Amino acid sequence: MGVGLGLAALVLVSLYTVRESFILVVLVFGGVALWELNSAFAGRQIRIPMPPVAIGSAAMLPVAFFYGPGGMVVTLASTVLVLLIWRMKDGSEGYVRDTTAGVFTVVYLPFLVGFAMLLLEPENGAHQIVTFIAVTVASDIGGFFVGAYLGKHKIAPKISPKKTWEGFAGSALTCMGVGAWLMVWLLDSPWWQGVVLGACVVLTATLGDLVESMIKRDLGIKDLGSLLPGHGGVMDRLDSLLITVPVVWILLQTFHSFA
């Protein structure tokens, strides 16, 4: 509980004081997440070309904020090109394995996080970020409490044995309720847009959890890190957020275009 409240306070202070300081917060936690993912791959003898991956990842976030989607895509393509060339110096053995893991890492972590920078850029960017995070966290909270007391029917027992359809229903109701509230309160938008947002977020948040569960099972580990007491690593807290953020950005862009 204390860790979660501390992270929430850090996010809110950075967003509502100097908005650009949120980029620094994300860079720090993104760097830790990258280190965790690299360590997990290394445990299976997969060697990510870290210098180009780390530099490209660090550049992608401010580029996304200042130069938009086009800049983010150019940075992604440049990073992939450099890592493909960089890995050549270590020979052909494991080349496809290592470069594939490197490309996966760049797309899964900094590229998806870059959509949060796109959410941050407009004048109401702080409100958009709060809405995105709150609705996503609502999925975890609603799913946890309903699943803990009523959960009986497993969604994917071989991937994530704790997830149930009852918990998913709890997540959906919580997401749609929080989404409707925040879209009206923070973004001055119709309540039904928040319901649509929440319905989409519960799907992406659940899929995000399942995707990371697949990664951990394939790598043979329980958690991707241990930095956050009671929460695992930073990557273990980002799983649902990573898959959700591009969908939230697309939806808010679509809502805005019809306003």
Side-chain angles (χ1 to χ4, degrees):
M1 178 67 73
V3 172
L5 291 176
L7 291 174
L10 178 62
V11 168
L12 290 173
V13 168
S14 65
L15 285 173
Y16 289 105
T17 53
V18 180
R19 187 176 47 160
E20 287 77 4
S21 65
F22 180 69
I23 302 175
L24 181 60
V25 171
V26 176
L27 280 170
V28 170
F29 281 98
V32 175
L34 179 59
W35 174 78
E36 290 175 348
L37 200 54
N38 179 57
S39 299
F41 280 132
R44 294 295 296 269
Q45 307 304 312
I46 301 171
R47 309 296 179 185
I48 296 174
M50 275 300 288
V53 169
I55 294 171
S57 299
M60 204 172 301
L61 304 188
V63 166
F65 179 79
F66 290 108
Y67 298 101
M72 189 169 70
V73 171
V74 169
T75 307
L76 171 65
S78 301
T79 303
V80 170
L81 178 61
V82 173
L83 78 84
L84 289 174
I85 296 171
W86 183 278
R87 175 56 181 78
M88 292 173 67
K89 65 183 179 60
D90 293 326
S92 60
E93 185 176 354
Y95 179 82
V96 173
R97 176 197 64 202
D98 296 346
T99 55
T100 300
V103 173
F104 170 82
T105 299
V106 173
V107 172
Y108 184 58
L109 190 54
F111 182 72
L112 292 182
V113 173
F115 284 92
M117 301 298 101
L118 300 181
L119 285 175
L120 180 66
E121 188 276 329
E123 186 176 345
N124 66 343
H127 290 342
Q128 292 196 143
I129 291 290
V130 169
T131 300
F132 149 61
I133 294 176
V135 176
T136 307
V137 171
S139 174
D140 290 338
I141 294 174
F144 173 78
F145 283 104
V146 175
Y149 291 101
L150 302 176
K152 293 181 180 180
H153 301 88
K154 307 295 184 181
I155 295 177
K158 293 184 178 180
I159 301 174
S160 185
K162 293 182 179 181
K163 289 199 172 298
T164 64
W165 286 110
E166 292 82 2
F168 179 80
S171 294
L173 291 174
T174 309
C175 280
M176 289 188 286
V178 172
W181 169 48
L182 291 179
M183 287 294 285
V184 172
W185 181 43
L186 291 181
L187 300 180
D188 194 27
S189 298
W191 64 269
W192 64 266
Q193 293 184 356
V195 173
V196 173
L197 181 71
C200 293
V201 166
V202 71
L203 292 174
T204 56
T206 302
L207 288 172
D209 287 340
L210 293 175
V211 165
E212 191 180 2
S213 293
M214 288 288 287
I215 294 170
K216 291 189 289 189
R217 283 180 175 271
D218 185 36
L219 297 177
I221 55 178
K222 182 178 183 294
D223 292 315
L224 285 167
S226 58
L227 178 66
L228 306 175
H231 293 261
V234 172
M235 278 299 302
D236 296 297
R237 292 297 87 203
L238 290 178
D239 51 7
S240 55
L241 295 167
L242 287 173
I243 304 297
T244 298
V245 62
V247 174
V248 171
W249 179 76
I250 291 169
L251 283 172
L252 292 181
Q253 290 289 110
T254 303
F255 293 153
H256 179 72
S257 68
F258 288 106

